[in-house]
Amino acid sequence: MATEGVEAVFLETHNWGKAAKFFQSLGYELEFATDHNSGQFRNGEGPYVFIAEVPENQEPRTQIVFKVPDADAFHAGPAVEVVTPFEDTHFGTRMMTVRDPDGRLWSLQAPPAAK
């Protein structure tokens, strides 16, 4: 089974309020906000954008997340280095990290395991 395109873009920021206003000005609507300066935005049917505030001494990162419909059915090919296998997240999904040939890390996200 292969990925199904980009599911999300995770962004870190030093100022949640300014970042939220920026994306709203681009036409993104806030789907939900947390009580710790983060939230999810969407614009149409494309990938969602999740923004989280980080401390000033931490470099903000950007992470592209690919969609996997079923973590248990997914098999990385021989050209894919698995850094961390699928693990449950605190936000209700399962995530895997892989490394490309140039050393970049990529995230794959799947729904939670069936119970």
Side-chain angles (χ1 to χ4, degrees):
M1 175 177 291
T3 63
E4 293 184 339
V6 175
E7 171 137 22
V9 176
F10 290 178
L11 299 174
E12 294 178 336
T13 181
H14 288 145
N15 189 311
W16 157 248
K18 285 183 178 180
K21 287 178 184 172
F22 173 81
F23 278 91
Q24 288 170 320
S25 294
L26 293 177
Y28 283 78
E29 293 184 21
L30 179 65
E31 286 190 321
F32 67 85
T34 70
D35 60 356
H36 52 274
N37 293 334
S38 64
Q40 183 169 301
F41 296 83
R42 191 174 297 273
N43 185 347
E45 297 296 319
Y48 65 86
V49 176
F50 189 89
I51 303 171
E53 188 173 286
V54 296
E56 286 291 329
N57 64 348
Q58 184 176 327
E59 183 72 26
R61 297 177 300 157
T62 301
Q63 182 179 18
I64 298 172
V65 180
F66 294 103
K67 181 178 184 177
V68 174
D70 182 351
D72 295 328
F74 179 79
H75 300 286
V80 177
E81 177 189 347
V82 175
V83 177
T84 57
F86 278 105
E87 298 173 330
D88 293 337
T89 66
H90 70 278
F91 45 88
T93 65
R94 296 174 77 193
M95 298 281 286
M96 169 188 262
T97 304
V98 297
R99 187 181 332 269
D100 74 16
D102 294 309
R104 287 180 292 263
L105 296 178
W106 298 88
S107 296
L108 285 65
Q109 180 169 264
K115 296 181 180 189

